Amino acid sequence: MKKQSTTIASIVILIIIAIFALLNTATVVVNFFGAQVKMPLVLLIFICLLIGAIIIYLLSFSNHLKTSRQLKELQSSRVSKDELKKSQKKVEQLQKENTQLKQQLKNQTTAEKIQDPSAN
């Protein structure tokens, strides 16, 4: 849907530019770094439009390259399913060990309190 609306908007903009260019057919003098060139205004408008489109394309292309590079980095750094399962098992083991150690510490503290009730 987004692509269709972008296409329709592009067509409308192109039609507006074409009408604008056809209404401005007078010959103009263009000064470009000391050189003077006479050309129809419609040609100047299309040249400027083409330069703008090229600039937008180059900026978009550089953004595309950056995104592509980031995607490749993410894909290369992905963890395999086996590594993920091993890591999950290790986490579960460490959680069990942590629970056991907490229980041992609690039992040890309780035993110390029973042996030395005057410590409180």
Side-chain angles (χ1 to χ4, degrees):
M1 186 68 181
K2 182 179 180 184
K3 193 171 185 175
Q4 290 174 345
S5 59
T6 304
T7 304
I8 292 171
S10 299
I11 291 171
V12 169
I13 290 171
L14 285 174
I15 290 171
I16 291 171
I17 291 170
I19 291 170
F20 177 75
L22 293 173
L23 293 174
N24 293 289
T25 58
T27 302
V28 293
V29 177
V30 178
N31 294 317
F32 189 70
F33 295 114
Q36 289 188 346
V37 180
K38 288 184 180 181
M39 67 174 60
L41 185 56
V42 66
L43 184 60
L44 180 63
I45 291 170
F46 282 131
I47 289 171
C48 291
L49 181 67
L50 181 63
I51 291 170
I54 290 170
I55 290 171
I56 290 172
Y57 173 76
L58 291 175
L59 293 174
S60 172
F61 187 70
S62 67
N63 188 27
H64 173 72
L65 289 177
K66 180 181 172 185
T67 305
S68 175
R69 185 173 7 97
Q70 288 176 343
L71 179 62
K72 285 181 183 178
E73 288 175 6
L74 286 173
Q75 286 176 340
S76 66
S77 67
R78 254 186 4 192
V79 178
S80 70
K81 290 183 179 181
D82 291 336
E83 291 176 11
L84 182 62
K85 286 181 182 179
K86 287 178 184 177
S87 296
Q88 287 174 337
K89 286 181 181 179
K90 189 167 186 171
V91 167
E92 289 173 4
Q93 287 175 335
L94 290 172
Q95 286 175 338
K96 287 178 184 178
E97 184 180 344
N98 188 18
T99 305
Q100 290 172 353
L101 290 172
K102 283 181 181 179
Q103 187 63 38
Q104 287 177 0
L105 182 62
K106 187 176 180 180
N107 292 342
Q108 186 179 9
T109 306
T110 306
E112 287 176 359
K113 285 182 182 179
I114 292 172
Q115 289 178 357
D116 189 15
S118 63
N120 287 336

